Amino acid sequence: MPLTVAVQMDPLDSINIAGDSSFALMLSAQARGHRLFYYPPEALNYADGRVWAKAWPVSVQRVKGDHFTLGEPQSLDLGEEADVVLMRQDPPFDLGYITATHLLERIADRTLVVNDPASVRNAPEKVFVLDYARFMPPTLITRSYEEAKAFLAKHGSIVVKPLHGNGGKAIFKIDADGQNLSSLMEVFNTAWREPHMVQAFLPDIAQGDKRIVLVDGAVAGAINRLPGKGEIRSNLAVGGSAEKTELTETEREICAALGPELKRRGLIFVGIDVIGGKWLTEINVTSPTGIVAIDNFDGTDTAGMIWDAIERRVAEQSGG
């Protein structure tokens, strides 16, 4: 049955259609006959129990520079006129993002929101992962220079990163001599009110960091992301490159541990990051990426798997 799908995302004209996961999801939905609307997160409105957005009917095509066409904008009631809302805007996971989850939660009993907005709000990438600390590298959450200094003395080289950062931004390696740690903590404490994540540096990062995609709790595929020359960050957005990969036994164990909880929480599309075949570093639930690269290497259809899961959920929610 054709669905009405509202996609909440960043401006369409700014995406890279060659690798953008949101665009791949839109192409897949359109191919299935679903009707697509686009709106930016700031277009959300609420009054008298209704949540609506100024939204544009949209059609998409894989043509660089001419990849979308917008119709006339309309006021789209997301609780009554949409079957699915894809919440796909990029982080930062700030108060604007959190407010959007609160508004969309008010329609979640009538419209399927992917990923579930309450679960997205309660599972920020670098905090939710603490539930699976047995798979993580040594980790400290702090704003304290003294605590970070003691952690460095215990573990040697460390990595310091924002707790709610994204895309490999603002990740710093501090070597055993501690040079610049004090200044870095001062900068971080000025820039962010929340504590920061400090982790033991993993030399295995030179061999890459694996992005594993899970769909409704099941493994859909993975890529290995290699850091660029002179970099410790392997995110594709900061110059990393992707290669085909297989899962290790420990990675399968990690996925088996996470899968049932992701499914229970309504986190249909999730990307986890694993270093060295065994160290879980993030559980990405806000706007996961990587499905285009996975499909290019494996010949799979991860977007189709996601839509299969969405369509099942819609049918269950409507009693069909």
Side-chain angles (χ1 to χ4, degrees), residues 153-236:
K154 182 177 180 180
H155 295 289
S157 298
I158 59 174
V159 170
V160 183
K161 50 190 173 182
L163 196 61
H164 299 298
N166 71 294
K169 301 182 184 74
I171 297 178
F172 293 87
K173 181 186 177 213
I174 300 293
D175 289 322
D177 60 9
Q179 187 175 4
N180 292 325
L181 178 59
S182 174
S183 296
L184 181 63
M185 292 299 289
E186 288 175 7
V187 170
F188 269 46
N189 285 344
T190 299
W192 294 285
R193 295 186 63 183
E194 64 269 16
H196 325 299
M197 176 169 271
V198 185
Q199 291 183 316
F201 174 69
L202 302 173
D204 285 343
I205 190 61
Q207 278 72 55
D209 131 76
K210 200 169 291 186
R211 162 57 57 89
I212 306 170
V213 168
L214 295 97
V215 176
D216 217 12
V219 174
I223 52 170
N224 194 46
R225 301 177 299 185
L226 296 166
K229 186 176 180 180
E231 270 283 1
I232 63 167
R233 304 175 298 171
S234 56
N235 306 69
L236 302 185

Side-chain angles (χ1 to χ4, degrees), residues 78-93:
L78 298 176
E80 300 298 331
E81 298 174 321
D83 300 297
V84 179
V85 172
L86 292 183
M87 189 166 55
R88 290 291 304 172
Q89 80 265 27
D90 290 336
F93 190 70

Side-chain angles (χ1 to χ4, degrees), residues 3 46 68 70 79 88 139 144 148 155 167 197 200 223 226 273 282 297:
L3 303 175
Y46 169 88
F68 70 96
L70 298 180
R88 290 291 304 172
T139 298
S144 166
H155 295 289
M197 176 169 271
I223 52 170
L226 296 166
D273 297 336
E282 290 190 22
F297 284 119

Side-chain angles (χ1 to χ4, degrees), residues 87-102:
M87 189 166 55
R88 290 291 304 172
Q89 80 265 27
D90 290 336
F93 190 70
D94 55 14
L95 280 174
Y97 213 118
I98 290 169
T99 300
T101 69
H102 280 294

